[in-house]
Amino acid sequence: MFPIRLQKRACTDAGKIERFLGQARTGFLGLASDNVPYVVPLNFVWKDNAIYFHGASEGRKIEMIAENPAACFTVSEEYGTIADPTPAHVDTAYMSAIIYGTIEKVVDWEEATAAMQVMLDKYVPGYFDRPLARTHLERYVSSMGSKTSVFKLVSSSISAKESEVNPAKMYFEGRKSHEDRH
């Protein structure tokens, strides 16, 4: 959607992006309504070219999605600091991705249950001794009295950036710049 300015940081390896989105733990859903931005951190899963997440069936996020379903979802993980004797060259090792698209409420119970099962497998692998029952989603009501809904952000574009870990240059406590100047 928007070109990456620093092209040397662009990651175009689809497999690497898939693996990154598959293991990353937290993403940030960006919404806008009436010229007011709103960004909320979420647990999520990347499945079938979409970000799936769940939440209450009511509230600010739901109202904003109803008014403007266009959204972005940002995932970023930091892997440490890259040391350099030149202060302007000190950097961060990271990977990030921004997914643009449109949010839809998942109304098919089979799809919603499958997405929630992938989420359980991601966040608590092996914890449950049987698959999630569709009836759990249909009946579950939160402590605040709201039903749970499953949503998906269907991707229209993805951009990813990275600065790879360089083991020889990673900062550690006690590392000194004068030791790196040779």
Side-chain angles (χ1 to χ4, degrees):
M1 179 171 247
F2 297 99
I4 293 176
R5 188 175 54 84
L6 190 55
Q7 277 298 305
K8 74 178 188 175
R9 296 281 172 95
C11 176
T12 57
D13 180 334
K16 189 172 194 175
I17 296 167
E18 288 276 331
R19 287 187 299 279
F20 173 69
L21 292 173
Q23 64 80 38
R25 308 285 292 177
T26 305
F28 296 85
L29 177 65
L31 304 169
S33 174
D34 293 328
N35 287 328
V36 176
Y38 180 60
V39 177
V40 60
L42 298 171
N43 291 336
F44 72 97
V45 292
W46 173 250
K47 179 180 177 328
D48 302 327
N49 206 39
I51 294 289
Y52 284 84
F53 60 95
H54 72 289
S57 295
E58 54 195 53
R60 181 178 184 184
K61 178 173 58 191
I62 304 310
E63 291 170 12
M64 291 183 84
I65 291 169
E67 186 172 319
N68 180 9
C72 69
F73 196 83
T74 300
V75 181
S76 179
E77 291 200 353
E78 181 258 331
Y79 304 124
T81 302
I82 301 168
D84 193 285
T86 304
H89 295 161
V90 171
D91 205 349
T92 301
Y94 70 91
M95 179 141 185
S96 65
I98 301 176
I99 299 100
Y100 289 92
T102 303
I103 297 176
E104 302 171 0
K105 184 175 180 179
V106 178
V107 294
D108 177 88
W109 286 108
E110 299 303 321
E111 180 183 3
T113 302
M116 291 305 294
Q117 183 64 57
V118 173
M119 190 171 287
L120 288 171
D121 293 343
K122 176 181 179 179
Y123 290 98
V124 288
Y127 183 74
F128 295 100
D129 56 0
R130 63 179 175 259
L132 181 67
R134 172 181 154 170
T135 55
H136 179 79
L137 282 180
E138 293 172 337
R139 295 182 192 158
Y140 182 77
V141 177
S142 77
S143 60
M144 295 182 67
S146 178
K147 292 203 54 83
T148 297
S149 292
V150 176
F151 299 89
K152 68 178 174 180
L153 185 148
V154 179
S155 172
S156 60
S157 71
I158 300 174
S159 63
K161 289 173 54 176
E162 67 180 327
S163 176
E164 294 189 46
V165 170
N166 179 343
K169 295 199 60 136
M170 298 309 290
Y171 172 78
F172 54 85
E173 192 170 333
R175 186 172 190 153
K176 301 293 183 190
S177 63
H178 69 273
E179 297 166 356
D180 290 336
R181 286 195 185 106
H182 44 355

Short mmCIF file of all heavy atoms in Angstrom, two decimals, residues 3-52:
data_model
loop_
_atom_site.label_atom_id
_atom_site.label_comp_id
_atom_site.label_asym_id
_atom_site.label_seq_id
_atom_site.Cartn_x
_atom_site.Cartn_y
_atom_site.Cartn_z
N PRO A 3 4.98 2.38 -0.09
CA PRO A 3 6.32 1.81 -0.30
C PRO A 3 7.19 1.99 0.95
O PRO A 3 7.07 2.97 1.67
CB PRO A 3 6.87 2.60 -1.48
CG PRO A 3 6.08 3.86 -1.52
CD PRO A 3 4.74 3.56 -0.91
N ILE A 4 8.06 1.01 1.16
CA ILE A 4 9.01 1.10 2.27
C ILE A 4 10.13 2.04 1.83
O ILE A 4 10.75 1.83 0.79
CB ILE A 4 9.55 -0.30 2.63
CG1 ILE A 4 8.42 -1.14 3.21
CG2 ILE A 4 10.73 -0.20 3.59
CD1 ILE A 4 8.80 -2.58 3.51
N ARG A 5 10.36 3.07 2.62
CA ARG A 5 11.33 4.10 2.26
C ARG A 5 12.75 3.54 2.24
O ARG A 5 13.52 3.78 1.32
CB ARG A 5 11.22 5.27 3.23
CG ARG A 5 12.04 6.47 2.84
CD ARG A 5 11.80 7.65 3.77
NE ARG A 5 11.99 7.33 5.17
CZ ARG A 5 13.18 7.33 5.79
NH1 ARG A 5 14.26 7.65 5.13
NH2 ARG A 5 13.26 7.04 7.06
N LEU A 6 13.11 2.79 3.26
CA LEU A 6 14.45 2.23 3.36
C LEU A 6 14.41 0.81 2.78
O LEU A 6 14.23 -0.17 3.49
CB LEU A 6 14.93 2.23 4.81
CG LEU A 6 16.38 1.89 5.09
CD1 LEU A 6 17.33 2.80 4.31
CD2 LEU A 6 16.67 1.98 6.57
N GLN A 7 14.54 0.72 1.46
CA GLN A 7 14.35 -0.54 0.75
C GLN A 7 15.29 -1.66 1.20
O GLN A 7 14.94 -2.83 1.12
CB GLN A 7 14.49 -0.33 -0.76
CG GLN A 7 13.22 0.17 -1.41
CD GLN A 7 12.08 -0.83 -1.26
OE1 GLN A 7 12.19 -1.99 -1.63
NE2 GLN A 7 10.97 -0.37 -0.70
N LYS A 8 16.48 -1.31 1.70
CA LYS A 8 17.39 -2.36 2.15
C LYS A 8 16.83 -3.11 3.36
O LYS A 8 17.29 -4.20 3.67
CB LYS A 8 18.79 -1.81 2.43
CG LYS A 8 18.92 -1.00 3.70
CD LYS A 8 20.35 -0.56 3.91
CE LYS A 8 20.51 0.08 5.27
NZ LYS A 8 21.88 0.41 5.57
N ARG A 9 15.83 -2.55 4.02
CA ARG A 9 15.20 -3.22 5.17
C ARG A 9 13.96 -4.01 4.77
O ARG A 9 13.39 -4.73 5.59
CB ARG A 9 14.82 -2.19 6.24
CG ARG A 9 16.01 -1.47 6.86
CD ARG A 9 16.68 -2.34 7.90
NE ARG A 9 17.91 -1.80 8.39
CZ ARG A 9 18.05 -1.08 9.49
NH1 ARG A 9 17.00 -0.80 10.22
NH2 ARG A 9 19.24 -0.65 9.87
N ALA A 10 13.52 -3.88 3.54
CA ALA A 10 12.30 -4.59 3.11
C ALA A 10 12.52 -6.10 3.15
O ALA A 10 13.57 -6.59 2.73
CB ALA A 10 11.91 -4.16 1.70
N CYS A 11 11.55 -6.80 3.66
CA CYS A 11 11.57 -8.27 3.64
C CYS A 11 10.48 -8.71 2.67
O CYS A 11 9.30 -8.40 2.87
CB CYS A 11 11.29 -8.85 5.03
SG CYS A 11 11.18 -10.65 5.02
N THR A 12 10.89 -9.40 1.62
CA THR A 12 9.93 -9.85 0.62
C THR A 12 9.82 -11.37 0.58
O THR A 12 9.11 -11.91 -0.26
CB THR A 12 10.33 -9.33 -0.78
OG1 THR A 12 11.66 -9.79 -1.06
CG2 THR A 12 10.29 -7.80 -0.84
N ASP A 13 10.48 -12.05 1.50
CA ASP A 13 10.45 -13.50 1.58
C ASP A 13 9.12 -13.92 2.22
O ASP A 13 8.94 -13.83 3.43
CB ASP A 13 11.64 -13.98 2.41
CG ASP A 13 11.72 -15.48 2.56
OD1 ASP A 13 10.68 -16.17 2.49
OD2 ASP A 13 12.84 -15.98 2.80
N ALA A 14 8.18 -14.37 1.39
CA ALA A 14 6.83 -14.72 1.87
C ALA A 14 6.88 -15.78 2.96
O ALA A 14 6.12 -15.71 3.94
CB ALA A 14 5.96 -15.19 0.70
N GLY A 15 7.76 -16.76 2.84
CA GLY A 15 7.87 -17.81 3.85
C GLY A 15 8.33 -17.25 5.18
O GLY A 15 7.81 -17.64 6.25
N LYS A 16 9.29 -16.36 5.15
CA LYS A 16 9.79 -15.74 6.38
C LYS A 16 8.70 -14.90 7.04
O LYS A 16 8.54 -14.92 8.26
CB LYS A 16 11.02 -14.88 6.06
CG LYS A 16 11.74 -14.37 7.27
CD LYS A 16 13.04 -13.71 6.87
CE LYS A 16 13.92 -13.50 8.08
NZ LYS A 16 15.24 -12.97 7.70
N ILE A 17 7.95 -14.16 6.23
CA ILE A 17 6.85 -13.35 6.76
C ILE A 17 5.79 -14.26 7.39
O ILE A 17 5.30 -13.99 8.49
CB ILE A 17 6.25 -12.43 5.67
CG1 ILE A 17 7.30 -11.42 5.21
CG2 ILE A 17 4.99 -11.74 6.17
CD1 ILE A 17 6.94 -10.67 3.94
N GLU A 18 5.45 -15.35 6.72
CA GLU A 18 4.47 -16.32 7.25
C GLU A 18 4.93 -16.87 8.60
O GLU A 18 4.16 -16.94 9.55
CB GLU A 18 4.28 -17.49 6.28
CG GLU A 18 3.52 -17.16 5.03
CD GLU A 18 2.01 -17.22 5.20
OE1 GLU A 18 1.53 -18.00 6.04
OE2 GLU A 18 1.33 -16.48 4.49
N ARG A 19 6.21 -17.28 8.68
CA ARG A 19 6.74 -17.83 9.93
C ARG A 19 6.72 -16.78 11.03
O ARG A 19 6.36 -17.07 12.17
CB ARG A 19 8.15 -18.37 9.72
CG ARG A 19 8.18 -19.68 8.92
CD ARG A 19 9.56 -20.29 8.87
NE ARG A 19 10.56 -19.44 8.22
CZ ARG A 19 10.73 -19.31 6.90
NH1 ARG A 19 9.95 -19.99 6.07
NH2 ARG A 19 11.67 -18.53 6.41
N PHE A 20 7.09 -15.55 10.68
CA PHE A 20 7.08 -14.46 11.66
C PHE A 20 5.68 -14.22 12.21
O PHE A 20 5.47 -14.17 13.42
CB PHE A 20 7.64 -13.18 11.02
CG PHE A 20 7.51 -11.96 11.88
CD1 PHE A 20 8.26 -11.83 13.03
CD2 PHE A 20 6.63 -10.95 11.53
CE1 PHE A 20 8.14 -10.71 13.84
CE2 PHE A 20 6.51 -9.82 12.33
CZ PHE A 20 7.27 -9.70 13.48
N LEU A 21 4.70 -14.11 11.32
CA LEU A 21 3.32 -13.87 11.76
C LEU A 21 2.76 -15.08 12.52
O LEU A 21 1.91 -14.92 13.39
CB LEU A 21 2.43 -13.53 10.57
CG LEU A 21 2.72 -12.18 9.91
CD1 LEU A 21 1.90 -12.02 8.64
CD2 LEU A 21 2.48 -11.03 10.87
N GLY A 22 3.26 -16.25 12.22
CA GLY A 22 2.81 -17.45 12.91
C GLY A 22 3.28 -17.55 14.34
O GLY A 22 2.61 -18.14 15.19
N GLN A 23 4.43 -16.97 14.65
CA GLN A 23 4.97 -17.11 16.00
C GLN A 23 4.87 -15.84 16.85
O GLN A 23 4.95 -15.92 18.07
CB GLN A 23 6.42 -17.59 15.94
CG GLN A 23 7.41 -16.63 15.26
CD GLN A 23 7.88 -15.49 16.14
OE1 GLN A 23 8.11 -15.65 17.32
NE2 GLN A 23 8.01 -14.32 15.54
N ALA A 24 4.71 -14.69 16.24
CA ALA A 24 4.65 -13.43 17.01
C ALA A 24 3.47 -13.46 17.97
O ALA A 24 2.41 -13.99 17.65
CB ALA A 24 4.55 -12.24 16.06
N ARG A 25 3.64 -12.91 19.14
CA ARG A 25 2.66 -13.05 20.21
C ARG A 25 1.63 -11.92 20.28
O ARG A 25 0.50 -12.15 20.67
CB ARG A 25 3.37 -13.14 21.56
CG ARG A 25 4.45 -14.18 21.63
CD ARG A 25 3.97 -15.57 21.72
NE ARG A 25 3.32 -15.83 22.99
CZ ARG A 25 2.75 -16.96 23.30
NH1 ARG A 25 2.74 -17.95 22.44
NH2 ARG A 25 2.17 -17.14 24.46
N THR A 26 2.03 -10.70 19.95
CA THR A 26 1.12 -9.56 20.11
C THR A 26 1.15 -8.71 18.85
O THR A 26 2.21 -8.46 18.29
CB THR A 26 1.54 -8.68 21.31
OG1 THR A 26 1.61 -9.50 22.48
CG2 THR A 26 0.56 -7.55 21.56
N GLY A 27 -0.03 -8.27 18.43
CA GLY A 27 -0.15 -7.35 17.32
C GLY A 27 -0.97 -6.15 17.74
O GLY A 27 -1.64 -6.17 18.78
N PHE A 28 -0.92 -5.11 16.95
CA PHE A 28 -1.61 -3.86 17.27
C PHE A 28 -2.58 -3.52 16.14
O PHE A 28 -2.16 -3.27 15.01
CB PHE A 28 -0.60 -2.73 17.48
CG PHE A 28 0.28 -3.00 18.67
CD1 PHE A 28 1.42 -3.77 18.54
CD2 PHE A 28 -0.06 -2.52 19.92
CE1 PHE A 28 2.22 -4.06 19.64
CE2 PHE A 28 0.73 -2.78 21.02
CZ PHE A 28 1.88 -3.55 20.88
N LEU A 29 -3.87 -3.55 16.47
CA LEU A 29 -4.92 -3.24 15.51
C LEU A 29 -5.11 -1.74 15.47
O LEU A 29 -5.38 -1.10 16.49
CB LEU A 29 -6.22 -3.93 15.94
CG LEU A 29 -7.45 -3.64 15.07
CD1 LEU A 29 -7.25 -4.20 13.66
CD2 LEU A 29 -8.69 -4.24 15.72
N GLY A 30 -4.97 -1.16 14.26
CA GLY A 30 -5.15 0.27 14.06
C GLY A 30 -6.47 0.55 13.37
O GLY A 30 -6.72 0.05 12.27
N LEU A 31 -7.30 1.33 14.05
CA LEU A 31 -8.61 1.71 13.52
C LEU A 31 -8.71 3.23 13.49
O LEU A 31 -7.96 3.93 14.17
CB LEU A 31 -9.73 1.17 14.44
CG LEU A 31 -9.74 -0.33 14.70
CD1 LEU A 31 -10.73 -0.67 15.81
CD2 LEU A 31 -10.09 -1.08 13.42
N ALA A 32 -9.65 3.75 12.71
CA ALA A 32 -9.91 5.19 12.68
C ALA A 32 -11.39 5.41 12.44
O ALA A 32 -12.01 4.70 11.62
CB ALA A 32 -9.10 5.88 11.60
N SER A 33 -11.94 6.36 13.15
CA SER A 33 -13.34 6.71 13.00
C SER A 33 -13.50 8.18 13.37
O SER A 33 -12.96 8.62 14.39
CB SER A 33 -14.18 5.82 13.93
OG SER A 33 -15.53 6.20 13.92
N ASP A 34 -14.22 8.94 12.55
CA ASP A 34 -14.42 10.38 12.80
C ASP A 34 -13.09 11.10 13.05
O ASP A 34 -12.97 11.91 13.96
CB ASP A 34 -15.35 10.61 13.99
CG ASP A 34 -16.77 10.16 13.72
OD1 ASP A 34 -17.21 10.26 12.56
OD2 ASP A 34 -17.44 9.70 14.67
N ASN A 35 -12.08 10.76 12.25
CA ASN A 35 -10.74 11.36 12.38
C ASN A 35 -10.08 11.11 13.72
O ASN A 35 -9.21 11.87 14.14
CB ASN A 35 -10.77 12.86 12.06
CG ASN A 35 -10.94 13.12 10.59
OD1 ASN A 35 -10.47 12.34 9.77
ND2 ASN A 35 -11.61 14.20 10.25
N VAL A 36 -10.51 10.08 14.42
CA VAL A 36 -9.90 9.71 15.69
C VAL A 36 -9.24 8.35 15.54
O VAL A 36 -9.91 7.36 15.22
CB VAL A 36 -10.96 9.66 16.82
CG1 VAL A 36 -10.33 9.19 18.12
CG2 VAL A 36 -11.63 11.01 17.00
N PRO A 37 -7.91 8.28 15.73
CA PRO A 37 -7.24 6.98 15.65
C PRO A 37 -7.41 6.19 16.94
O PRO A 37 -7.61 6.77 18.01
CB PRO A 37 -5.78 7.36 15.43
CG PRO A 37 -5.64 8.69 16.08
CD PRO A 37 -6.98 9.38 15.92
N TYR A 38 -7.33 4.88 16.82
CA TYR A 38 -7.42 4.00 17.99
C TYR A 38 -6.57 2.77 17.68
O TYR A 38 -6.77 2.12 16.65
CB TYR A 38 -8.88 3.60 18.22
CG TYR A 38 -9.13 2.70 19.40
CD1 TYR A 38 -8.78 3.08 20.69
CD2 TYR A 38 -9.74 1.46 19.22
CE1 TYR A 38 -9.06 2.25 21.77
CE2 TYR A 38 -10.01 0.63 20.30
CZ TYR A 38 -9.66 1.03 21.58
OH TYR A 38 -9.92 0.21 22.65
N VAL A 39 -5.62 2.48 18.53
CA VAL A 39 -4.75 1.33 18.35
C VAL A 39 -4.84 0.48 19.61
O VAL A 39 -4.70 0.99 20.72
CB VAL A 39 -3.29 1.75 18.10
CG1 VAL A 39 -2.37 0.54 17.99
CG2 VAL A 39 -3.20 2.63 16.85
N VAL A 40 -5.10 -0.80 19.42
CA VAL A 40 -5.29 -1.70 20.56
C VAL A 40 -4.43 -2.96 20.38
O VAL A 40 -4.41 -3.55 19.29
CB VAL A 40 -6.79 -2.03 20.74
CG1 VAL A 40 -7.38 -2.70 19.54
CG2 VAL A 40 -7.04 -2.85 21.99
N PRO A 41 -3.69 -3.35 21.43
CA PRO A 41 -2.90 -4.58 21.34
C PRO A 41 -3.81 -5.81 21.47
O PRO A 41 -4.77 -5.80 22.23
CB PRO A 41 -1.95 -4.49 22.54
CG PRO A 41 -2.64 -3.59 23.51
CD PRO A 41 -3.51 -2.66 22.70
N LEU A 42 -3.48 -6.85 20.69
CA LEU A 42 -4.31 -8.05 20.67
C LEU A 42 -3.48 -9.32 20.52
O LEU A 42 -2.44 -9.30 19.87
CB LEU A 42 -5.27 -8.01 19.46
CG LEU A 42 -6.29 -6.90 19.37
CD1 LEU A 42 -6.95 -6.94 18.00
CD2 LEU A 42 -7.32 -7.04 20.46
N ASN A 43 -3.99 -10.41 21.07
CA ASN A 43 -3.54 -11.74 20.67
C ASN A 43 -4.17 -12.00 19.32
O ASN A 43 -5.27 -11.51 19.04
CB ASN A 43 -4.00 -12.80 21.65
CG ASN A 43 -3.31 -12.68 22.99
OD1 ASN A 43 -2.22 -12.15 23.09
ND2 ASN A 43 -3.94 -13.19 24.02
N PHE A 44 -3.51 -12.79 18.48
CA PHE A 44 -4.02 -13.00 17.12
C PHE A 44 -3.46 -14.28 16.55
O PHE A 44 -2.49 -14.85 17.07
CB PHE A 44 -3.62 -11.82 16.22
CG PHE A 44 -2.15 -11.83 15.90
CD1 PHE A 44 -1.69 -12.39 14.70
CD2 PHE A 44 -1.21 -11.33 16.79
CE1 PHE A 44 -0.33 -12.41 14.41
CE2 PHE A 44 0.14 -11.36 16.50
CZ PHE A 44 0.58 -11.91 15.30
N VAL A 45 -4.03 -14.69 15.44
CA VAL A 45 -3.43 -15.73 14.61
C VAL A 45 -3.49 -15.29 13.15
O VAL A 45 -4.40 -14.57 12.74
CB VAL A 45 -4.10 -17.12 14.77
CG1 VAL A 45 -3.83 -17.69 16.15
CG2 VAL A 45 -5.56 -17.09 14.48
N TRP A 46 -2.48 -15.72 12.40
CA TRP A 46 -2.41 -15.49 10.97
C TRP A 46 -2.84 -16.80 10.31
O TRP A 46 -2.22 -17.83 10.50
CB TRP A 46 -0.98 -15.12 10.58
CG TRP A 46 -0.73 -15.02 9.12
CD1 TRP A 46 0.01 -15.87 8.35
CD2 TRP A 46 -1.20 -14.00 8.23
NE1 TRP A 46 0.03 -15.45 7.05
CE2 TRP A 46 -0.71 -14.30 6.94
CE3 TRP A 46 -2.00 -12.87 8.39
CZ2 TRP A 46 -0.98 -13.50 5.84
CZ3 TRP A 46 -2.27 -12.08 7.29
CH2 TRP A 46 -1.76 -12.39 6.03
N LYS A 47 -3.94 -16.75 9.57
CA LYS A 47 -4.50 -17.97 8.98
C LYS A 47 -5.20 -17.60 7.68
O LYS A 47 -5.99 -16.65 7.65
CB LYS A 47 -5.52 -18.57 9.98
CG LYS A 47 -6.22 -19.82 9.56
CD LYS A 47 -7.20 -20.26 10.68
CE LYS A 47 -8.02 -21.45 10.38
NZ LYS A 47 -8.43 -21.69 9.04
N ASP A 48 -4.90 -18.31 6.62
CA ASP A 48 -5.57 -18.11 5.33
C ASP A 48 -5.55 -16.66 4.87
O ASP A 48 -6.56 -16.09 4.47
CB ASP A 48 -7.01 -18.62 5.40
CG ASP A 48 -7.10 -20.09 5.80
OD1 ASP A 48 -6.18 -20.84 5.41
OD2 ASP A 48 -8.06 -20.47 6.48
N ASN A 49 -4.37 -16.04 4.95
CA ASN A 49 -4.17 -14.67 4.49
C ASN A 49 -5.03 -13.64 5.24
O ASN A 49 -5.47 -12.64 4.68
CB ASN A 49 -4.41 -14.55 2.97
CG ASN A 49 -3.64 -13.40 2.37
OD1 ASN A 49 -2.49 -13.14 2.73
ND2 ASN A 49 -4.27 -12.69 1.45
N ALA A 50 -5.27 -13.93 6.52
CA ALA A 50 -6.06 -13.01 7.35
C ALA A 50 -5.55 -13.05 8.78
O ALA A 50 -5.01 -14.06 9.24
CB ALA A 50 -7.54 -13.39 7.32
N ILE A 51 -5.72 -11.95 9.47
CA ILE A 51 -5.47 -11.86 10.91
C ILE A 51 -6.80 -12.15 11.59
O ILE A 51 -7.80 -11.48 11.33
CB ILE A 51 -4.99 -10.44 11.30
CG1 ILE A 51 -3.62 -10.15 10.71
CG2 ILE A 51 -5.01 -10.26 12.81
CD1 ILE A 51 -2.46 -10.90 11.33
N TYR A 52 -6.81 -13.14 12.46
CA TYR A 52 -8.01 -13.46 13.26
C TYR A 52 -7.78 -13.02 14.69
O TYR A 52 -6.67 -13.20 15.24
CB TYR A 52 -8.29 -14.97 13.25
CG TYR A 52 -8.90 -15.48 11.98
CD1 TYR A 52 -8.10 -15.81 10.89
CD2 TYR A 52 -10.28 -15.66 11.87
CE1 TYR A 52 -8.66 -16.30 9.71
CE2 TYR A 52 -10.85 -16.15 10.69
CZ TYR A 52 -10.03 -16.46 9.62
OH TYR A 52 -10.59 -16.95 8.47
#
